[in-house]
Amino acid sequence: MEMTREEYESKFNADDAVGWISIDQQLAKVYPQKEPRHYGPLCGLHYMAGGTDPIDGINVYDREDPVHYHLTTYGMSHLYYSPDQLGQDFSKWGFEFTFRLAPFEEDEGDPFWAMQVFNNLARYVYSSGRWFEENQFIPAKGPIRLNTDTEIVGFVTSLDPELGKIKTPHGEVSFIQLIGVTEKELNDIMEDANTDYIANFIAQMKQSNPLLVTDLTRRS
């Protein structure tokens, strides 16, 4: 049953980041005992306050089996208190980005370049009005990590295998994971260019890589 406006206003107040809380609750199911490293807007100023980076926050979780970083965003869904957004089908753009990356020596720690990828894609959404869903492809027009000897030159999108999608007071939010693909894979995808082909490609990848972790050293 959907929350009424009266219930919303009695449960939350203007200081509550209602959508943010919903994201945190879903993350807590996967990471009940883990605290992420959290990064605010890379430019230092929130988008709503005139900043240039649409992503308000990014969590980075350390994972094992296989070892990778799991990055998740706050900023593509409606994060803050707003009774007028109650009961929408989708919360703002209806998704948040995620990305799983095998450690890469040249990063020397957390992959800030990947955080900038999130912001670049978010700017595209805000400027074009077109959002991301599962089973899409995104050419990067070069290595996804600039100035890097890697064959990974684009992404396909999938629901995050662990986070999936959630219902929030402001509407549905899907956790859309970016998955790095090689030039050969991207060319094959672009030649066929339909969601069934991408879904089958991802399903095959999951057989050996169930969490769909991107490895910049992978070769096709």
Side-chain angles (χ1 to χ4, degrees), residues 47-113:
Y47 201 60
M48 291 176 60
T52 58
D53 292 336
I55 302 300
D56 281 8
I58 296 171
N59 286 347
V60 182
Y61 293 90
D62 294 323
R63 291 293 297 267
E64 298 179 359
D65 195 27
V67 173
H68 67 279
Y69 300 118
H70 188 194
L71 288 75
T72 64
T73 70
Y74 302 82
M76 304 310 296
S77 59
H78 201 97
L79 299 176
Y80 304 107
Y81 179 85
S82 180
D84 292 339
Q85 297 299 317
L86 180 65
Q88 300 293 315
D89 289 338
F90 300 96
S91 177
K92 198 154 94 176
W93 299 107
F95 75 96
E96 293 291 347
F97 290 111
T98 80
F99 184 51
R100 297 171 187 266
L101 180 71
F104 186 64
E105 186 175 359
E106 293 178 36
D107 285 339
E108 298 181 349
D110 290 337
F112 290 98
W113 62 268

Side-chain angles (χ1 to χ4, degrees), residues 15-192:
D15 293 328
D16 290 327
V18 178
W20 196 301
I21 292 168
S22 296
I23 294 170
D24 281 347
Q25 289 172 340
Q26 184 71 352
L27 288 168
K29 294 177 183 178
V30 178
Y31 298 107
Q33 305 296 329
K34 280 193 175 183
E35 285 295 324
R37 291 180 297 285
H38 182 80
Y39 298 94
L42 301 184
C43 70
L45 189 65
H46 282 260
Y47 201 60
M48 291 176 60
T52 58
D53 292 336
I55 302 300
D56 281 8
I58 296 171
N59 286 347
V60 182
Y61 293 90
D62 294 323
R63 291 293 297 267
E64 298 179 359
D65 195 27
V67 173
H68 67 279
Y69 300 118
H70 188 194
L71 288 75
T72 64
T73 70
Y74 302 82
M76 304 310 296
S77 59
H78 201 97
L79 299 176
Y80 304 107
Y81 179 85
S82 180
D84 292 339
Q85 297 299 317
L86 180 65
Q88 300 293 315
D89 289 338
F90 300 96
S91 177
K92 198 154 94 176
W93 299 107
F95 75 96
E96 293 291 347
F97 290 111
T98 80
F99 184 51
R100 297 171 187 266
L101 180 71
F104 186 64
E105 186 175 359
E106 293 178 36
D107 285 339
E108 298 181 349
D110 290 337
F112 290 98
W113 62 268
M115 302 179 197
Q116 200 54 258
V117 168
F118 287 152
N119 277 295
N120 290 339
L121 293 176
R123 289 188 196 97
Y124 165 79
V125 172
Y126 276 86
S127 63
S128 69
R130 300 177 65 182
W131 57 91
F132 290 105
E133 301 174 312
E134 56 188 307
N135 302 323
Q136 295 178 323
F137 67 91
I138 307 168
K141 300 180 180 179
I144 62 170
R145 185 186 189 278
L146 296 178
N147 305 313
T148 300
D149 180 20
T150 177
E151 290 189 12
I152 308 298
V153 296
F155 303 98
V156 291
T157 61
S158 175
L159 274 182
D160 187 289
E162 293 179 316
L163 296 173
K165 62 179 65 176
I166 59 173
K167 294 288 187 181
T168 80
H170 301 145
E172 184 178 277
V173 175
S174 296
F175 292 91
I176 297 297
Q177 183 168 323
L178 304 176
I179 306 155
V181 291
T182 66
E183 184 171 10
K184 180 182 183 305
E185 291 164 344
L186 183 62
N187 287 338
D188 290 344
I189 288 166
M190 292 173 66
E191 183 176 337
D192 202 280

